Amino acid sequence: MLKGKVKGMLLDLSGTLHIDNAVTPRAVEALVKLRNAGITVRFVTNSTKTSDERLYRKLTQLGFTLERSEIFTSLSAAKQLVVQRNYRPLLLLEDEALEQFCDIDQSEPYTAVVVGLAPSKFDYAHMNAAFSALLKGADLVGIHRAKYYAESEGKLSMGPGGFVAALEYAADKKATMVGKPVKEFYELALRDMGMLETPEAVAMIGDDVLADLGGGAQDLGLVRLLVRTGKYRTGDETKADVQPDGVFDTFADIVDSLVD
């Protein structure tokens, strides 16, 4: 069904190609096979716990062959928004992600609160500081709304979505979202691939039927393929209003179905 149709692929990272420091089955070999078949690849991730440079180094250390320019992160999209709007942000981010904003003025009074996945910052003191900034007029920026993520094999942990929602509720303010599944985020990668005008020939692969395959992925008409690794739980595919185009055990199984 998919063979011959897919000319490009957008790949989620955490939960799809790797889970923490463990590579999903045959993922390294599958990526090589995909490239050898001439399918254009870009990596689109909502990972915000570390900087883009640290993420790239981690992927290469895990054995993946890729270029730094092929990775599109919601963290870089958030920084782009901060620069465009000349924000002075209060950043709820882990220290390894904060280094990506070292050239940004972060002095008070804050004009934005930026929320990513920051387990060490989701305590009352940090959340209340963010709440106070919002009450003083700062905009709220959510890097993504994931409910949870696969911290390790078989272990789910809360994502930033609930914390973004808490600040929205408390401050009565709607967040601007920048990562998956926002349509404009996918378009950044599609444009770089030269496939913005042919999204129907591009597959989005992920382990979250809503955060990876919903929203913009659905609106753009991407081929939406779900994997049963990472955060996937039995029956997840039924959570979507429109069912994914396919459900596979692993990313490598998808590649096998596309490439002889």
Side-chain angles (χ1 to χ4, degrees), residues 73-175:
T73 74
S74 54
L75 191 65
S76 59
K79 182 176 180 181
Q80 186 178 62
L81 182 69
V82 166
V83 172
Q84 287 173 346
R85 297 187 179 180
N86 198 29
Y87 281 143
R88 291 190 309 277
L90 170 60
L91 300 168
L92 289 186
L93 298 171
E94 289 297 302
D95 291 344
E96 289 188 351
L98 284 173
E99 62 190 41
Q100 192 153 327
F101 292 79
C102 62
D103 58 339
I104 299 294
D105 180 6
Q106 300 171 41
S107 61
E108 297 187 55
Y110 301 116
T111 56
V113 172
V114 178
V115 185
L117 179 58
S120 69
K121 307 293 175 64
F122 289 152
D123 53 53
Y124 188 82
H126 284 94
M127 290 290 286
N128 203 44
F131 170 66
S132 296
L134 294 172
L135 289 186
K136 294 175 183 176
D139 292 338
L140 178 59
V141 177
I143 298 185
H144 64 94
R145 285 191 187 274
K147 295 179 180 179
Y148 47 82
Y149 70 103
E151 185 173 356
S152 59
E153 187 66 45
K155 180 184 178 182
L156 296 182
S157 294
M158 284 186 68
F163 299 94
V164 173
L167 289 171
E168 286 181 316
Y169 177 76
D172 196 21
K173 186 167 290 191
K174 188 72 174 175

